[in-house]
């Protein structure tokens, strides 16, 4: 007999409660209000949610919120090999910098929330939780363009620099959001439910001391599930979560075996970046996690 009933797994699939959802909304509004009450030196920015909150894959009791504050007065870019700035008309660089922008955002957050409630971290600015809101990670970014064949063809994302070592990080959060919605629609809303189940099981495994690997992240689990074929969600059948999980775990275990190359083809949910390259996790991490998850669920 499986460790959890279908009803227990269905409960794990549900989104955050109304109370938790309200705290998340309060957090987003708090950041927007803070920025609107002061003047950023740049004067040009947009604010939007990203991560599990924005994508509606957050789980109960693990629902911090990421808010992207993106500078729109300029942008970083990447050109195809052999191309020059002049060919793409990129000859008027701004004198404002990413470092200045992050400093300006931090100053405003400190002025609004108080120094004791704001902690500058390597890649974000953290706002502590209270009874009204959950923890908030404010992520200052700049717009980023990855150009194609000409100056009019590009994919737009965001870019940031880590404080500690100047690491450049590029993401495509808006494409992530759009593709996640499409995947959910194509699977009769089972995609995001399955993501929440796997995230909940991951947390339980850690909390119970059964298995812990820091390389297995919430983002990785969501992206893996995005790469699970739509047909495997069995939307034409009554929802049996244990059956779906058995097939899901076996699929990713088999695709990450040493003699398989399937894992090299997987993409992040944005479909703009490879999933298994340039990150801290490896093929072996995924393979081992799936093996442990199978045993944790007491599948035979």
């Amino acid at each position: 007999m499986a460790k959890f009933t279908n009803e227990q797994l269905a409960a794990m699939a549900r989104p955050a409660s109304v109370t938790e959802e309200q705290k998340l909304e309060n957090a987003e509004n708090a950041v927007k209000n803070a920025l609107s009450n002061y003047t950023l030196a740049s004067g040009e920015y947009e604010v939007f949610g990203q991560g599990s909150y924005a994508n509606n894959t957050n789980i109960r009791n693990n629902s911090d919120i990421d808010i992207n504050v993106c500078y729109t007065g300029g942008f970083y870019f990447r050109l195809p090999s052999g191309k020059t700035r002049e060919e793409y008309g990129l000859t008027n660089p701004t004198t404002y910098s990413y470092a200045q922008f992050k400093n300006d955002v931090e100053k405003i957050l400190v002025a609004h929330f108080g120094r004791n409630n704001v902690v500058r971290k390597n890649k974000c600015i953290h706002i502590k939780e209270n009874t009204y809101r959950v923890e908030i990670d404010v992520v200052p970014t700049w717009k980023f363009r990855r150009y194609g064949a000409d100056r009019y063809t590009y994919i737009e994302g965001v870019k940031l620099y880590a404080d500690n070592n100047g690491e450049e990080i590029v993401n495509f959060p808006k494409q992530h959001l759009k593709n996640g919605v499409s995947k959910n629609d194509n699977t009769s809303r089972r995609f995001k439910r399955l993501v929440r189940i796997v995230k909940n099981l991951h947390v339980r495994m850690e909390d119970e001391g059964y298995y812990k690997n820091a390389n297995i992240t919430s983002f990785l689990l969501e992206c893996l599930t995005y790469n699970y074929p739509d047909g495997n969600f069995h939307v034409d059948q009554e929802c049996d979560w244990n059956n779906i999980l058995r097939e899901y775990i076996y699929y990713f275990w088999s695709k990450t075996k040493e003699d398989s190359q399937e894992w090299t083809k997987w993409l992040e949910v944005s479909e703009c970046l490879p999933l298994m390259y340039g990150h801290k996790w490896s093929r072996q991490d995924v393979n081992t996690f799936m093996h442990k998850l199978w045993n944790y669920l007491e599948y035979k």
Side-chain angles (χ1 to χ4, degrees), residues 152-174:
Y152 304 106
T153 306
Y154 58 85
I155 300 172
E156 190 168 80
V158 299
K159 183 174 181 176
L160 63 92
Y161 288 89
D163 282 350
N164 291 352
N165 56 10
E167 177 189 2
E168 300 179 14
I169 300 165
V170 172
N171 290 308
F172 298 87
K174 292 185 178 180

Side-chain angles (χ1 to χ4, degrees), residues 171 176 215-228 248 251-252 256 262-283 285-286 290:
N171 290 308
H176 184 124
N215 291 344
I216 303 297
T217 68
S218 173
F219 178 78
L220 170 61
L221 295 176
E222 182 170 343
C223 290
L224 285 172
T225 310
Y226 182 79
N227 284 272
Y228 195 48
Y248 171 93
Y251 177 89
F252 286 107
T256 53
E262 287 296 315
W263 58 274
T264 65
K265 304 173 186 177
W266 297 337
L267 299 173
E268 294 183 5
V269 178
S270 68
E271 297 189 4
C272 296
L273 294 168
L275 176 60
M276 301 300 292
Y277 298 96
H279 294 289
K280 63 181 182 180
W281 50 76
S282 67
R283 172 200 65 80
D285 287 324
V286 176
M290 292 300 166

Side-chain angles (χ1 to χ4, degrees), residues 12-234:
M12 296 182 201
R14 295 181 191 130
S17 69
V18 174
T19 301
E20 290 172 324
E21 190 67 23
Q22 187 61 55
K23 284 186 177 182
L24 294 169
E25 291 179 9
N26 291 342
E28 183 172 359
N29 290 332
V31 173
K32 289 181 177 178
N33 291 338
L35 294 171
S36 66
N37 288 334
Y38 298 86
T39 302
L40 269 171
S42 68
E44 300 173 279
Y45 66 92
E46 63 174 324
V47 180
F48 55 90
Q50 65 178 34
S52 60
Y53 163 59
N55 295 306
N56 195 27
T57 56
N58 53 296
I59 60 176
R60 301 179 183 192
N61 302 318
N62 191 26
S63 301
D64 57 339
I65 178 173
D66 295 327
I67 299 294
N68 195 312
V69 181
C70 182
Y71 175 62
T72 58
F75 56 88
Y76 292 105
F77 57 88
R78 182 178 301 157
L79 302 179
S81 179
K83 298 293 184 178
T84 66
R85 297 171 60 111
E86 289 72 22
E87 291 178 82
Y88 283 71
L90 303 171
T91 56
N92 188 28
T94 176
T95 58
Y96 195 57
S97 71
Y98 172 79
Q100 288 174 296
F101 181 66
K102 186 172 182 179
N103 289 340
D104 288 342
V105 172
E106 181 184 17
K107 288 175 184 176
I108 289 177
L109 296 178
V110 168
H112 186 84
F113 294 103
R115 179 74 270 180
N116 290 339
N117 292 314
V118 177
V119 180
R120 180 164 175 145
K121 294 190 173 182
N122 188 32
K123 301 174 185 177
C124 68
I125 301 167
H126 181 76
I127 302 171
K128 298 178 182 179
E129 67 177 329
N130 60 21
T131 56
Y132 182 69
R133 64 171 186 269
V134 297
E135 295 180 339
I136 312 169
D137 284 337
V138 177
V139 186
T141 65
W142 271 42
K143 281 193 177 295
F144 171 84
R145 291 180 180 180
R146 189 170 72 190
Y147 280 96
D150 57 58
R151 63 186 296 183
Y152 304 106
T153 306
Y154 58 85
I155 300 172
E156 190 168 80
V158 299
K159 183 174 181 176
L160 63 92
Y161 288 89
D163 282 350
N164 291 352
N165 56 10
E167 177 189 2
E168 300 179 14
I169 300 165
V170 172
N171 290 308
F172 298 87
K174 292 185 178 180
Q175 291 89 337
H176 184 124
L177 175 62
K178 178 181 177 182
N179 290 345
V181 170
S182 295
K183 179 82 171 183
N184 209 40
D185 289 343
N186 293 340
T187 57
S188 295
R189 314 192 74 79
R190 290 185 180 179
F191 162 59
K192 294 189 178 185
R193 293 175 187 172
L194 182 55
V195 171
R196 296 190 202 103
I197 289 174
V198 176
K199 285 184 179 182
N200 270 299
L201 292 172
H202 176 231
V203 170
R204 285 172 180 257
M205 289 167 70
E206 289 190 338
D207 289 347
E208 295 172 18
Y210 183 84
Y211 179 72
K212 184 172 184 178
N213 180 348
N215 291 344
I216 303 297
T217 68
S218 173
F219 178 78
L220 170 61
L221 295 176
E222 182 170 343
C223 290
L224 285 172
T225 310
Y226 182 79
N227 284 272
Y228 195 48
D230 291 357
N232 291 20
F233 286 84
H234 301 300

